[in-house]
Amino acid sequence: MSSDAARRRRGLQVLAVLSALIVIVFIVSMNTGYIRLTPLELLDTMLGKGTDKQELILFDFRLPRIVISVLIGAGLAVSGAVMQGVFRNDLADPGILGINAGAGLMVMLLVSFYPTTSAAPVYLLPLVAFAGAALTAALIYILAYKRHQGISPIRLLLTGVAVAAGMSAAMIVLTLRLDPDKYQFVATWLAGSIWGTNWKFVLSLLPWIVILLPFVFYKARVMNVLNLGEQTATGLGAAVNREQFRLLAAAVGLAAASVAVSGGIGFVGLIGPHLARRLVGPKHQLMLPASALLGSLLVITADTIGRWILQPSEIPTGIVVAVIGAPYFLYLLARTKA
């Protein structure tokens, strides 16, 4: 067996193991909460034989949140993988670069115009978030770009951190004019708690994931070529600028749609791609699916831990992810050369 075939076989095995782990955590998460369901009760409820209370807990509260955790984990991780590949910056992440903050600010502005947070148009939230994320990405690119020098990894990182800080400050200022209900919503969003926990939010997020993830996977070979450098990629016949724009638009869309229903969860787009490269190698045909699965596994695990560790209270998912992600980010930053 050739080395490429062996690596592919190992990569497929890794994907199978990650998928199995997600299924296991998914089942555990369905039974995690203040009101516990025994495995038998869980099975009966899934088969339509549970009580009204059990069906309410499982189908109206837990399952939408678990499904959203899986979707946003995949979206944020693949978004980070694309940004790292296009910018050739190992520290690129939609949260660190301020993309999530830009999307969140637009969501906050939209919600502030409605009498209650539940009255805001659910299906419009991802579109508004995408507009905010796209404007933020353009601003970061303009500020980080230098003529004849391009964009250095550290300059891009520092610009993104500064823009993210400014966006977060604007959101905090916005809370000063909000009523208590909306203030609680903003505080929840900033902490990274998954706030869109019904099937409407799943349906608002699903089209973005279903369309953009396959598009990015389809562009895996293009990303392999882009990683060789602009001159080499151009010499191989790739339309570098056009492909970079398309991939970045897809990455921004994935991050924005995820943020619209999840709040400010960071580091998923940083951790997922890095672990994926270690497990399956740098080729994007396997690395992108592995990133998606690792992101889903990270978010669903963090959400389950957050709901379990301090019952009946819960720790926001974003905080649990940050406990893991912040040290890893500092480790990567220490290894990165300017």
Side-chain angles (χ1 to χ4, degrees):
M1 183 181 294
S2 66
S3 58
D4 286 343
R7 281 195 294 267
R8 180 175 177 80
R9 181 179 178 181
R10 181 178 179 277
L12 293 175
Q13 290 173 344
V14 169
L15 296 182
V17 170
L18 291 174
S19 300
L21 289 174
I22 290 174
V23 171
I24 292 171
V25 179
F26 195 104
I27 295 172
V28 172
S29 188
M30 286 194 293
N31 195 32
T32 300
Y34 180 63
I35 300 176
R36 294 186 60 83
L37 301 175
T38 66
L40 183 59
E41 290 173 338
L42 190 63
L43 180 61
D44 286 341
T45 306
M46 292 293 291
L47 296 175
K49 299 178 182 179
T51 64
D52 291 341
K53 180 179 179 181
Q54 290 170 343
E55 290 184 356
L56 178 68
I57 292 170
L58 182 60
F59 293 115
D60 291 353
F61 294 135
R62 291 185 185 170
L63 272 181
R65 179 167 181 162
I66 297 169
V67 172
I68 285 176
S69 298
V70 172
L71 294 177
I72 65 174
L76 290 173
V78 172
S79 177
V82 171
M83 291 183 181
Q84 290 173 22
V86 171
F87 290 125
R88 284 182 289 164
N89 182 352
D90 289 343
L91 298 176
D93 166 78
I96 297 171
L97 293 182
I99 306 299
N100 290 358
L105 178 59
M106 292 299 288
V107 172
M108 298 297 108
L109 289 173
L110 176 67
V111 170
S112 67
F113 282 104
Y114 288 83
T116 64
T117 55
S118 60
V122 172
Y123 300 105
L124 187 60
L125 288 176
L127 290 173
V128 173
F130 177 74
L135 290 173
T136 304
L139 176 63
I140 293 170
Y141 184 88
I142 292 171
L143 294 176
Y145 182 83
K146 280 192 175 183
R147 192 175 182 182
H148 305 307
Q149 296 182 22
I151 298 178
S152 72
I154 295 300
R155 187 163 62 245
L156 177 70
L157 175 67
L158 295 177
T159 302
V161 170
V163 171
M167 296 289 182
S168 298
M171 281 190 280
I172 294 174
V173 171
L174 180 64
T175 62
L176 300 177
R177 303 187 63 181
L178 298 179
D179 57 49
D181 178 56
K182 293 181 180 178
Y183 176 82
Q184 182 61 40
F185 167 79
V186 174
T188 300
W189 191 97
L190 289 172
S193 179
I194 298 175
W195 65 276
T197 54
N198 63 54
W199 292 109
K200 288 184 179 179
F201 289 94
V202 174
L203 293 177
S204 71
L205 174 61
L206 195 59
W208 294 76
I209 301 297
V210 169
I211 294 172
L212 294 179
L213 275 189
F215 172 77
V216 174
F217 292 164
Y218 175 73
K219 293 291 184 179
R221 294 183 183 276
V222 174
M223 292 189 65
N224 290 337
V225 174
L226 293 178
N227 276 356
L228 299 175
E230 291 189 11
Q231 291 184 347
T232 304
T234 302
L236 292 174
V240 175
N241 292 332
R242 185 178 64 188
E243 295 294 351
Q244 286 179 336
F245 178 81
R246 289 176 175 176
L247 286 165
L248 285 176
V252 169
L254 287 169
S258 300
V259 163
V261 299
S262 72
I265 298 178
F267 297 112
V268 177
L270 179 73
I271 299 174
H274 275 273
L275 292 180
R277 288 190 196 94
R278 290 177 178 269
L279 291 173
V280 301
K283 288 191 175 181
H284 288 85
Q285 288 90 335
L286 289 173
M287 195 274 280
L288 289 173
S291 297
L293 292 174
L294 281 164
S296 294
L297 182 61
L298 175 61
V299 175
I300 192 176
T301 302
D303 183 59
T304 304
I305 292 173
R307 287 189 286 120
W308 166 75
I309 197 168
L310 290 179
Q311 292 182 12
S313 300
E314 67 177 57
I315 301 174
T317 306
I319 293 178
V320 179
V321 174
V323 169
I324 303 170
Y328 193 70
F329 171 69
L330 293 175
Y331 165 72
L332 292 174
L333 185 62
R335 292 182 54 194
T336 301
K337 296 180 180 180

